Amino acid sequence: MPEIQLLRPGHIPALLDFELENRAYFAASISDRGDDYFAHFDERLHALLAEQDAGICYFHVIAGPKGEILGRVNLVDAADGEAELGYRIAERAAGAGLASWAVRELCGIAANSYGLTDLRAATTLDNKASRAVLARSGFEVVGESEFGGRPGLTFHRSLAEFAVRPSAPAVP
C-alpha cells in the first residue's frame, strides 16, 4: 500500500531518481523543468524544505511498499486557509488510480494537519488524465488560464467535508 510522506532531506536522492526517470513522460503534458533544475536539485530541494518549515508550502512524496517514490503531491503558496495543489505520478504507476487516491488523501491532510479550508489547482486542457483526477476528487472548474502558451482550466475545492469535527459531549 502506498503512503504519503512529508518531504524530508532523506528523500532527496530517490526524488531526483524519480524526476530523472520520468522527465520525458512529464514533459509530454507539462513544461520541462530544464537542465538547470536537475543540475542544482539538492540546493533547490533544501530551499523547498525551508519553505515547508516556514509553513508556506507542504511537499509530499508517495512512497511505494519498498520505499520507492511513485509520485509527488504538493501544496504550495499556503495562505489564508488556501493552497494550490500540484501532483505528478511516475509513468509506471499511472492509470491505476494512484493520483486520485493521493489527491483525496492530501485533501484530508490539508484540512486536518495544516488547517486549510480550500484548495486550488490548474491543468492544461490537453491533460485529460489530470482533469479527470481533479473531477473525481471533487474539484470544480472556476476559470480558464494559460500555461506556457497552452490553454488550461483552474479548479477549486472546499475541504469542509474532510475536516474532522470534535465529537459533541455526551448529554447526561
Side-chain angles (χ1 to χ4, degrees):
M1 184 73 179
E3 178 184 18
I4 294 178
Q5 300 174 359
L6 191 63
L7 182 66
R8 60 183 185 271
H11 288 125
I12 293 175
L15 190 56
L16 177 57
D17 290 344
F18 163 83
E19 291 288 350
L20 288 168
E21 177 182 314
N22 292 284
R23 184 176 182 181
Y25 173 67
F26 294 147
S29 58
I30 56 176
S31 298
D32 183 61
R33 292 186 164 171
D35 293 337
D36 191 59
Y37 175 83
F38 296 99
H40 301 284
F41 191 81
D42 284 7
E43 297 143 43
R44 169 116 173 95
L45 262 288
H46 284 290
L48 294 178
L49 288 168
E51 288 182 22
Q52 182 167 276
D53 289 344
I56 299 167
C57 301
Y58 303 98
F59 303 102
H60 305 83
V61 297
I62 304 167
K66 298 175 185 167
E68 72 279 21
I69 295 180
L70 301 173
R72 299 177 72 167
V73 60
N74 302 317
L75 300 169
V76 298
D77 298 332
D80 301 321
E82 292 188 355
E84 177 132 357
L85 169 73
Y87 52 90
R88 49 180 56 203
I89 302 298
E91 183 174 19
R92 65 187 164 97
L98 184 62
S100 294
W101 171 83
V103 167
R104 285 190 304 271
E105 287 291 311
L106 195 63
C107 285
I109 293 168
N112 296 299
S113 295
Y114 309 137
L116 298 176
T117 57
D118 296 272
L119 293 182
R120 301 175 310 276
T123 190
T124 57
L125 286 178
D126 61 349
N127 192 340
K128 292 178 183 167
S130 188
R131 288 185 10 231
V133 165
L134 293 171
R136 279 192 298 272
S137 302
F139 282 78
E140 296 179 358
V141 175
V142 293
E144 297 178 359
S145 194
E146 191 173 294
F147 306 97
R150 296 161 59 189
L153 298 171
T154 56
F155 297 80
H156 173 266
R157 185 178 202 319
S158 167
L159 300 176
E161 73 184 74
F162 291 95
V164 175
R165 296 178 191 2
S167 55
V171 178

